[in-house]
Amino acid sequence: MTILTNKADKIDRLAELTQSSEAVTGTSLWREAFRRMRSSKMAIIGAAIIAAFVLVAIVGPMLAPHGPTAQNWRSEVFPNQGKFVGMRGENWFGLDHLGRDMFSRWLVGARQTLLVGVVSMLIGLIIGAAVGILSGAAATLGGKVGQRVDTVIMRVTDIMLSLPSLLLAVSIAAVLGQSLTTVMIAVGVVQIPIFARLLRGSMLVQGGADYVLAAKAVGIRRKRIVLTQILPNSLSPVIVQATLSLATAIIEAAALSYLGLGNPDPAVPEWGVMLSQAQRFFDNEPMMAAYPAIGIIITALGFTLLGEAMREALDPKLRG
Amino acid sequence: MSLLELDGVKVHFPVKKGLFFDRTVGHVYAVDGVSLSVEAGQTYGLVGESGCGKTTLGRAVLRLNDITDGAVVFDGTDLAKLPSEEMRAFRRRLQMVFQDPLGSLNPRQNIESILAEGMAAHNIGKDQAERREKIKEILAKVGLPSNAMSRYPHEFSGGQRQRIGIARALVLEPDVIICDEPVSALDVSVQAQVINLLEELQESLGLTYLVIAHDLAVVRHISDVIGVMYLGGLVEEAPSDALYAGPRHPYTKALMSAVPVPDPEVEDRRERILLHGDLPSPANPPAGCRFHTRCPWVQETKCATERPPLLDTGDGHKVACHFTAEIEAGTVKQTLATGIEAVISTEAVATEAVEVSEGDAETADAPVKKEEEPATVPAQADAGEAERAEESPKA
């Protein structure tokens, strides 16, 4: 009898607890994705690499033992005769052909590389997303006129996409002149059609979803449907692409710098420029090219890992 | 005057092709001239197989699809011709419950936000606090705890999600709710709960329903009047009991015979009407009566040439068939066998015939050419091979 009443009590308590838990808050999909990211090794490694890179970019110039342009002439430094000084003493990465400390230049260069990557990605993301939203909204809810608008926008982005990205960037850089801003704009413009197409496609898929139809049936205004229903659900691939394109932006900026379109100012070293300068001495001193190259590769790897982990975390099909 | 009246509603979707400029190369006749009326406080059930246009019709009422032609008169206003902003305002009074409970809820909004959005769009409630009170009240009405408000759709079960869908419609205090397959995505045990909830709400709030479903048992349980759709048009409409007691259109007869009977003895003895072939494409519907290509009672005259109107045959029982009276009286003969053996043997004979003689094309093509010569040829094909089948189809 006592067991029975105990049991009944327990059930009552349970019912009470489940009923009165007024404070229960749901887990949104964003939060859930974040939780999944935290348990993913790939995400942690990627984030760690990026964190280290960002840290170097921020504090690097302060830690640099020498100024980026300070020259240290020694009798051994004759790069043209295979006398480049490798790792030795206080110059960890050695000296370059002008006797500058490679390690200091590498530390200072990280900031420029990060800046180029982030700014050019943002140029691509912001303009591309704006075009994508316009096109996607026009295609899903704009009726017949909207579909025309969408077609025109998409043909233009198709044309941009069909141009080889490096060629486009070189042309832009050639028109605007040689500077870091040029590189950022050139790399950013190349990314615009990618973001535009991606967001538009994603919005088109979401635009056909039942909940959009339901929002229409409820009588929500079209502008609000785009902003509160379609857009938040279309963002995941764009976020992933933004992370991944940081990696490509850094590589492409390096490529442009390598081609001699980067910042000519020796006081602001950049990994791509450093790589470009090292090519003349590659036969005798491959390490001179290896340091900036390794920096670029590892950073790009970090962003790629994080991007891939995000893709997995945000994939609705894996929602458990 | 009924609350909701549809008059000759047509929804045709253009089929487009073209590289740069889309040309219209044809139409899909999803809904092709449907007239019906729903009385206030009643439930109108719309049944039909997949692809017959019932969902499109339901959406057309809310103007979620463009209406090609016809009128949707709601409370004296023709919705088909309303400018979009006025139509938006009217949507408060006409709501919809969707088939897929999860798919119809925005996965990134919590329940409060989902419900409040519609209220904000129609200026119901002064501020957030007032809306929240109202949402709590409605959630209680559909049997959800108030702590559901801060949770997200993926955190609920299927039945709960459908209750949220119903709550979303209810917060706007509508007059009519269109339920598009409201329970077909749910477990059988949960289906009954949701159906009962819909009935309770109808009683307490005086709602009018247009229920679209393919489950005959569900429709029978909930509806006052039932309309049967086939390929974009209504073929029969009658009060629920009358329709189930005595279906008059050949298609409805076939549909009803698909419902199993709980008594195994009756189930063994009863006649099943099996239809030949598939539903024709709504992009290229048959001329004349839409059903004549599969109708067991198809006649040589009229059926293939003239589309039968939906006519009252007494007691509000409307049928769209040229030979309703004759079929009831048994004066026209069944021209296509309907038992399972008949269907199999007709096809067997047809294939044999093709193999044996190429010359005898008429027999060989029989099942394919049903549209041109529906009456005689398949019956001949049956005669020799399917004697056993002859016993069953005569009722």
Side-chain angles (χ1 to χ4, degrees):
Chain A
M1 193 60 203
T2 46
I3 300 168
L4 253 175
T5 45
N6 264 345
K7 216 172 191 177
D9 275 350
K10 268 186 192 165
I11 293 170
D12 284 346
R13 279 240 315 279
L14 187 70
E16 224 169 80
L17 281 174
T18 45
Q19 273 304 308
S20 64
S21 53
E22 194 65 45
V24 168
T25 43
T27 338
S28 77
L29 291 181
W30 295 120
R31 204 181 302 174
E32 221 182 82
F34 183 66
R35 211 188 51 211
R36 257 204 305 272
M37 290 258 302
R38 273 193 318 202
S39 58
S40 145
K41 264 187 202 136
M42 206 155 65
I44 290 169
I45 294 171
I49 293 173
I50 293 165
F53 174 54
V54 171
L55 193 73
V56 168
I58 292 168
V59 303
M62 287 172 245
L63 293 181
H66 303 278
T69 49
Q71 287 177 317
N72 179 8
W73 284 109
R74 293 193 196 168
S75 55
E76 300 99 305
V77 181
F78 291 111
N80 292 331
Q81 292 151 36
K83 286 286 175 73
F84 172 77
V85 177
M87 197 173 188
R88 165 190 286 196
E90 62 191 280
N91 305 116
W92 289 0
F93 290 1
L95 301 169
D96 70 0
H97 59 296
L98 296 173
R100 296 174 296 196
D101 180 34
M102 286 279 285
F103 182 61
S104 303
R105 287 180 67 75
W106 191 86
L107 283 179
V108 177
R111 178 180 289 185
Q112 298 304 315
T113 305
L114 182 67
L115 198 68
V116 173
V118 170
V119 171
S120 50
M121 182 273 283
L122 283 180
I123 292 174
L125 175 66
I126 291 168
I127 302 177
V131 173
I133 290 171
L134 186 70
S135 197
T140 47
L141 296 169
K144 277 181 187 128
V145 183
Q147 272 165 13
R148 285 272 154 81
V149 172
D150 170 60
T151 311
V152 172
I153 296 176
M154 277 306 114
R155 287 304 87 78
V156 174
T157 58
D158 281 352
I159 292 168
M160 279 178 78
L161 265 179
S162 64
L163 295 171
S165 63
L166 204 58
L167 189 69
L168 184 64
V170 168
S171 322
I172 294 168
V175 171
L176 295 178
Q178 191 186 17
S179 78
L180 196 65
T181 327
T182 306
V183 172
M184 292 195 272
I185 292 173
V187 175
V189 167
V190 169
Q191 312 263 6
I192 290 174
I194 300 172
F195 282 111
R197 267 227 162 256
L198 191 67
L199 185 55
R200 180 237 180 210
S202 178
M203 283 178 75
L204 237 53
V205 172
Q206 298 298 330
D210 262 5
Y211 63 84
V212 173
L213 200 69
K216 241 187 265 183
V218 163
I220 297 169
R221 287 185 176 81
R222 281 189 292 190
K223 209 188 286 172
R224 246 192 109 67
I225 291 180
V226 171
L227 291 179
T228 66
Q229 313 282 322
I230 300 179
L231 199 55
N233 284 291
S234 314
L235 281 180
S236 343
V238 177
I239 294 170
V240 173
Q241 177 62 31
T243 323
L244 292 174
S245 71
L246 256 173
T248 24
I250 289 173
I251 292 168
E252 264 183 35
L256 287 186
S257 302
Y258 178 82
L259 291 172
L261 296 161
N263 192 354
D265 185 356
V268 254
E270 198 264 329
W271 290 350
V273 182
M274 287 167 72
L275 196 61
S276 149
Q277 285 166 348
Q279 76 164 320
R280 277 193 288 151
F281 314 107
F282 192 75
D283 283 348
N284 301 317
E285 299 297 341
M287 285 316 283
M288 198 174 157
Y291 295 125
I294 287 168
I296 291 168
I297 290 167
I298 289 180
T299 315
L301 180 73
F303 282 114
T304 310
L305 284 178
L306 188 71
E308 289 294 338
M310 268 191 194
R311 191 205 299 280
E312 267 172 35
L314 290 169
D315 190 345
K317 276 179 230 119
L318 299 172
R319 195 187 299 155
Chain B
M1 185 75 192
S2 314
L3 184 62
L4 182 65
E5 262 183 57
L6 275 62
D7 184 23
V9 171
K10 292 183 182 176
V11 180
H12 298 171
F13 296 112
V15 180
K16 290 187 171 175
K17 262 187 190 166
L19 194 57
F20 292 104
F21 302 102
D22 291 339
R23 281 179 305 116
T24 304
V25 292
H27 284 94
V28 174
Y29 301 91
V31 177
D32 205 17
V34 170
S35 304
L36 56 85
S37 57
V38 187
E39 304 295 330
Q42 281 205 330
T43 302
Y44 190 103
L46 205 54
V47 290
E49 61 195 298
S50 329
C52 73
K54 52 193 196 301
T55 295
T56 309
L57 182 67
R59 290 181 179 177
V61 173
L62 270 173
R63 287 256 311 267
L64 296 173
N65 294 326
D66 287 332
I67 299 170
T68 312
D69 194 21
V72 178
V73 182
F74 170 68
D75 207 7
T77 314
D78 184 2
L79 302 179
K81 292 179 183 65
L82 231 48
S84 62
E85 182 55 29
E86 278 175 54
M87 183 61 218
R88 197 186 68 76
F90 256 98
R91 292 204 172 119
R92 190 191 70 72
R93 301 180 59 194
L94 278 156
Q95 274 300 303
M96 190 151 182
V97 172
F98 290 83
Q99 175 173 18
D100 177 1
L102 182 60
S104 62
L105 299 170
N106 184 351
R108 302 207 184 269
Q109 275 183 313
N110 65 23
I111 305 310
E112 182 181 359
S113 165
I114 289 174
L115 298 190
E117 195 140 35
M119 298 172 79
H122 294 289
N123 302 316
I124 301 171
K126 281 196 299 287
D127 48 19
Q128 208 192 347
E130 203 178 305
R131 280 181 203 141
R132 181 172 286 194
E133 278 313 304
K134 169 100 192 196
I135 289 170
K136 266 186 196 165
E137 191 188 306
I138 297 286
L139 284 179
K141 223 175 242 171
V142 299
L144 287 168
S146 57
N147 65 30
M149 283 181 29
S150 59
R151 283 154 71 193
Y152 290 81
H154 62 103
E155 297 173 303
F156 292 92
S157 69
Q160 286 175 318
R161 284 172 195 152
Q162 197 56 296
R163 286 161 198 263
I164 295 166
I166 295 169
R168 167 171 57 192
L170 286 181
V171 287
L172 303 180
E173 297 167 356
D175 301 323
V176 176
I177 297 184
I178 296 163
C179 304
D180 183 8
E181 303 269 12
V183 295
S184 68
L186 304 175
D187 287 346
V188 180
S189 55
V190 184
Q191 284 190 354
Q193 287 178 19
V194 171
I195 290 291
N196 289 338
L197 174 67
L198 284 171
E199 287 198 318
E200 273 169 42
L201 292 170
Q202 181 166 41
E203 241 165 70
S204 62
L205 301 171
L207 295 166
T208 307
Y209 289 141
L210 175 60
V211 177
I212 297 159
H214 65 265
D215 187 328
L216 295 166
V218 166
V219 174
R220 177 181 198 172
H221 182 77
I222 199 169
S223 307
D224 299 304
V225 180
I226 293 176
V228 182
M229 269 185 94
Y230 182 81
L231 212 62
L234 274 181
V235 292
E236 184 161 2
E237 184 193 282
S240 174
D241 293 335
L243 188 85
Y244 279 83
R248 291 187 187 164
H249 192 281
Y251 177 63
T252 319
K253 284 178 196 279
L255 208 59
M256 293 302 168
S257 83
V259 180
V261 178
D263 185 337
E265 277 181 30
V266 180
E267 173 69 20
D268 274 352
R269 275 186 281 109
R270 87 199 167 87
E271 177 207 351
R272 282 277 278 114
I273 302 176
L274 289 175
L275 296 176
H276 297 249
D278 294 319
L279 190 69
S281 162
N284 184 22
C289 175
R290 293 278 148 93
F291 188 54
H292 84 260
T293 54
R294 301 167 76 193
C295 181
W297 280 274
V298 65
Q299 300 300 311
E300 282 176 73
T301 53
K302 273 186 175 180
C303 283
T305 51
E306 219 176 291
R307 197 172 169 190
L310 191 68
L311 293 176
D312 201 329
T313 58
D315 309 327
H317 200 135
K318 296 178 191 169
V319 185
C321 179
H322 295 301
F323 298 98
T324 317
E326 288 86 340
I327 292 171
E328 286 301 304
T331 52
V332 292
K333 277 189 105 182
Q334 203 169 326
T335 50
L336 278 174
T338 53
I340 181 88
E341 297 91 348
V343 171
I344 295 168
S345 63
T346 330
E347 261 137 48
V349 169
T351 36
E352 263 172 42
V354 173
E355 281 159 17
V356 171
S357 73
E358 294 273 349
D360 199 356
E362 223 180 15
T363 333
D365 289 345
V368 187
K369 282 199 172 168
K370 262 182 284 184
E371 286 158 52
E372 282 114 47
E373 289 206 61
T376 51
V377 181
Q380 283 171 10
D382 284 344
E385 197 76 10
E387 274 185 28
R388 276 186 306 146
E390 288 288 320
E391 298 163 23
S392 59
K394 300 278 135 55

